[in-house]
Amino acid sequence: MTLKEIKDILSAEVISGDHDLEKEIKYGFAADLLSDVLALGRGSGVLTLLITGITHPQVIYASNIFDLGAIIFVRGKRPAEATLQLAIENQIPLLATPYIMFETCGLLYQHGLKPSIMRVKNG
Amino acid sequence: MAEAEERLRFNEMFHIEGGNFINAGAISSRVKKILKEAGFPGKIIRRTSIAAFEAEMNVICYANHGNLSLLITPSFLKVVVKDEGIGIPDVNLAMSEGYSTASEKIRELGFGAGMGLANIKKNTDEMILTSKLGEGTHLEFIIYLDGQETQFSSE
């Protein structure tokens, strides 16, 4: 699905990356721990959406490592100014939705978004 | 290793300021940029950047200051991270997943889950970690290039 579809499904606001709404997104990964993003982030970064409540600049640095396709902040959270600037520099689109993380994931899953990683080994 | 060191193609050192969370991640972003511009394969870039990010965070979270050096030879990448700080009392314990001494502030940032060192090991081919309590920590890791061609390959 496209970022535009994700925006519509989640009644989301585009914080940055307005021109990137046709970008294709196939996978999702949800975490409030950056350690988990770094430890579990896999697969095709550019096609992956990070669903998170973390809004400080480290979320951009971590996402940049995986060349993530886009980030959506849940629970109505808004990024800090430094986060926004870094996202623009690194060309990572940012969205914000009022939905909680569970509902965000559920709606996207229902519409066909796949997990970037299904389960952990030995978990 | 000594012979390979002689063929060093690139060596740059970056300073890391302990406790400066605002820019945490900036050094590993620069490392990633260097590797990307040099034409390294995506997987090598990702593994090195993840390990560098974790190492950078460790210095910021637990040390007063430190530095991260990126060394590139035709056959491997090496990252050396030295810091002056509290050090690690039990390196083996610190290496185990989930063990953490992180403060509340570090956890609020989404770090401090005790995954960092294990994640460095997972993403690298060789890793050496030594520490002196109250003095600091020395971390080195290597990622082999397995004959991948880069701008540093040619003799």
Side-chain angles (χ1 to χ4, degrees):
Chain A
M1 66 180 75
T2 61
L3 265 186
K4 169 80 170 59
E5 289 174 88
I6 289 172
K7 169 186 180 287
D8 293 342
I9 291 165
L10 297 170
S11 310
E13 182 192 338
V14 181
I15 298 170
S16 78
D18 254 325
H19 54 283
D20 260 345
L21 290 182
E22 291 311 312
K23 202 174 199 179
E24 186 68 21
I25 297 288
K26 283 189 176 170
Y27 310 102
F29 186 90
D32 270 352
L33 265 183
L34 278 180
S35 300
D36 283 343
V37 178
L38 287 170
L40 303 175
R42 285 277 193 291
S44 175
V46 287
L47 295 172
T48 302
L49 173 75
L50 174 65
I51 300 155
T52 187
I54 305 170
T55 55
H56 54 74
Q58 278 66 47
V59 75
I60 307 295
Y61 286 124
S63 300
N64 192 29
I65 287 177
F66 295 101
D67 294 310
L68 282 185
I71 300 170
I72 186 156
F73 300 113
V74 295
R75 305 187 289 272
K77 295 206 169 214
R78 310 283 309 196
E81 182 59 28
T83 309
L84 177 59
Q85 288 310 320
L86 263 182
I88 294 168
E89 269 172 46
N90 288 284
Q91 298 178 314
I92 299 177
L94 300 182
L95 285 80
T97 176
Y99 288 111
I100 61 164
M101 185 181 271
F102 178 81
E103 189 66 10
T104 302
C105 295
L107 285 169
L108 292 176
Y109 196 91
Q110 202 173 42
H111 283 82
L113 202 72
K114 300 287 179 212
S116 65
I117 164 179
M118 189 79 76
R119 52 177 295 172
V120 296
K121 286 178 196 161
N122 314 319
Chain B
M1 173 111 34
E3 186 194 346
E5 295 274 15
E6 285 168 20
R7 295 185 292 152
L8 195 62
R9 292 279 193 264
F10 180 95
N11 183 2
E12 191 163 341
M13 186 190 277
F14 307 94
H15 182 74
I16 306 172
E17 195 187 329
N20 182 354
F21 289 95
I22 297 293
N23 292 318
I27 306 291
S28 35
S29 272
R30 283 173 68 185
V31 166
K32 188 201 167 197
K33 196 158 176 265
I34 290 166
L35 300 181
K36 202 168 179 178
E37 283 170 2
F40 283 94
K43 203 169 177 185
I44 298 278
I45 296 175
R46 188 178 290 193
R47 290 169 61 205
T48 311
S49 310
I50 291 170
F53 193 110
E54 297 279 17
E56 180 184 357
M57 283 309 302
N58 282 347
V59 175
I60 290 163
C61 291
Y62 302 109
N64 304 326
H65 57 87
N67 51 58
L68 183 152
S69 303
L70 171 67
L71 299 88
I72 304 176
T73 79
S75 54
F76 63 85
L77 297 176
K78 182 175 178 180
V79 173
V80 180
V81 186
K82 295 178 194 170
D83 72 47
E84 287 179 24
I86 50 177
I88 304 170
D90 185 335
V91 169
N92 284 331
L93 190 59
M95 285 293 301
S96 58
E97 276 188 26
Y99 178 80
S100 174
T101 58
S103 67
E104 202 51 44
K105 182 177 180 181
I106 294 166
R107 289 173 196 267
E108 272 172 22
L109 284 172
F111 290 99
M115 305 288 283
L117 289 171
N119 203 21
I120 293 172
K121 191 171 174 64
K122 200 167 79 182
N123 279 287
T124 59
D125 295 311
E126 285 181 33
M127 171 184 173
I128 301 166
L129 178 67
T130 54
S131 189
K132 273 194 181 155
L133 205 56
E135 289 182 24
T137 300
H138 183 124
L139 168 75
E140 286 186 28
F141 60 81
I142 285 177
I143 291 173
Y144 291 109
L145 299 172
D146 299 324
Q148 301 268 10
E149 289 291 317
T150 70
Q151 72 173 67
F152 300 104
S153 305
S154 55
E155 289 301 315

